[in-house]
Amino acid sequence: MAKHAVLSSGAKLWRSLPCAKSELRLELTLACGQTFRWRENADGHWTGVIGGRVWTLTQTEDTLWYYVYTNQGGAGGENSSEDSLRAESVTASHHSEVEEEMLRDYFQLHVKLGDLYKEWGAADSHFKKISDIFTGVRMLRQDPTECLFSFICTSNNHISRIQGMVERLCQALGSPLCQLDQTSYHDFPTLSALADSGVEERLRDLGFGYRARFLQQSAKQILDTHGPQWLVGLRNVPYLEARDSLRTLPGVGTKVADCVCLMCLDKCEAVPVDTHVWQIAKRDYKYTSDNGQKTLTEKVHRDIGDFFRKLWGPYAGWAHSVLFCADLKKFQHLKEMKSLKQPQNEEEREGECKGLKVKREFDGHEKKKKPKSERQKKAKMSVKTEEV
């Protein structure tokens, strides 16, 4: 049985791209809730599916390494003639170029993240403080079908449970790709597979609840009303038009529509707003325009989005994702590590010095001062001696 690839056990079989960690950090980008299919199968090694292929990714300080698994059923063959080997070499070279381009597109490596961080930090002191810890959080450019139907599963849900649902969805309806260390990998289901009349009942049996109906009905509506290329085509229309079009689908509200716009439809200005982001706006930016509103209305959603777009500019959605990532419980240890390394300010140093002095006196490391009355007596005696 094939095993997950590990860089240390055969680097020659891997390919690489120059990419600094300041431009991409896999452990943040792949685990911050914008995609749900990547798993860390070994230390710093992440395995998932892009474009119908299974990949393992890892990185060093200035390099992104990737391993693409071949179709297990198609391996082998007896023919070893020179013509055959030459053809295989050309095919492998072509695949290598295609896969490199797929990876660049998926991570949008043409966008210079370091430059954006500088712009956002100059405009926003809170972002500057956070970004010093959470570098390299990029927006992915996902397949629109996978992104949309994954986010329909996010309603009233949390990341770990969404991951399980998306995995069951792929195993039930997606084409098998390969098996590694007893883990089976499947492609994401096609619109046709999702739209089948028996899908709702099947997904309810798998624990999808009311979301099962939304998944099946949205797929059917897209195929019946728009056609299979409609989702990809939304990349070519303005942000608000794309968002409103998505909102016509069952189970797609404003937040889900904004997530899809941002994470697969090239709408970098889209700022998905949920109660989590609302709290960030109020807590860290003293946002008060909601006038004490208790629920997240369409107006609050629009106003918070406009607030952040004005603050951060055309890539506001990317900046928002850095703060969202920084607020997740799973990453709080990074803030704690940073605080331990922070140099002390003047007041802290002064307080520590005072504490050390008290400790020394308590431990007897400094001479104990004599009472004032005794010192005064000695002073008087020395004066009398001089007078004599």
Side-chain angles (χ1 to χ4, degrees), residues 43-217:
D43 186 28
H45 289 65
W46 295 81
T47 301
V49 179
I50 308 173
R53 294 168 167 86
V54 181
W55 308 60
T56 292
L57 310 177
T58 190
Q59 63 186 149
T60 48
E61 284 302 317
D62 57 1
T63 305
L64 174 63
W65 295 87
Y66 61 101
Y67 186 101
V68 186
Y69 299 87
T70 57
N71 186 329
Q72 301 301 309
E78 298 295 326
N79 193 339
S80 58
S81 69
E82 186 175 337
D83 288 344
S84 176
L85 291 173
R86 187 180 296 114
E88 289 176 8
S89 176
V90 171
T91 301
S93 176
H94 173 69
H95 284 172
S96 177
E97 292 175 6
V98 169
E99 286 158 358
E100 178 176 325
E101 186 53 39
M102 288 173 68
L103 200 61
R104 288 184 181 278
D105 181 70
Y106 186 72
F107 285 110
Q108 306 194 73
L109 294 181
H110 64 282
V111 177
K112 302 303 180 186
L113 191 61
D115 293 343
L116 289 176
Y117 267 56
K118 288 177 184 176
E119 291 177 19
W120 298 328
D124 176 1
S125 59
H126 177 69
F127 181 91
K128 178 68 171 66
K129 182 174 66 175
I130 293 296
S131 66
D132 287 344
I133 307 171
F134 292 87
T135 57
V137 180
R138 300 189 74 86
M139 290 311 309
L140 303 175
R141 190 175 192 249
Q142 301 177 62
D143 172 74
T145 298
E146 176 174 343
C147 187
L148 169 63
F149 288 90
S150 294
F151 273 92
I152 289 177
C153 295
T154 64
S155 175
N156 297 315
N157 227 335
H158 54 79
I159 291 177
S160 60
R161 188 160 180 264
I162 298 163
Q163 288 174 331
M165 294 175 71
V166 172
E167 192 57 42
R168 294 195 298 277
L169 183 67
C170 295
Q171 289 175 0
L173 303 174
S175 301
L177 297 174
C178 70
Q179 187 168 353
L180 306 169
D181 291 320
Q182 317 224 337
T183 299
S184 296
Y185 291 89
H186 293 71
D187 204 358
F188 199 85
T190 63
L191 284 170
S192 297
L194 290 162
D196 187 84
S197 59
V199 162
E200 179 180 349
E201 183 178 354
R202 190 172 180 186
L203 293 182
R204 283 187 182 276
D205 290 341
L206 291 173
F208 282 71
Y210 63 88
R211 304 172 193 85
R213 179 168 55 86
F214 292 152
L215 291 165
Q216 191 272 334
Q217 288 186 351

Side-chain angles (χ1 to χ4, degrees), residues 243-255:
R243 189 186 71 178
D244 290 344
S245 296
L246 290 168
R247 290 182 61 192
T248 65
L249 299 172
V252 179
T254 304
K255 181 249 183 177

Side-chain angles (χ1 to χ4, degrees), residues 3 26 34 41 58 89 150 210 227-228 247 251 263 275 301 303 363:
K3 296 183 177 295
L26 293 176
Q34 57 175 313
N41 57 278
T58 190
S89 176
S150 294
Y210 63 88
R247 290 182 61 192
M263 299 170 190
T275 53
H301 190 122
D303 290 348
D363 291 343

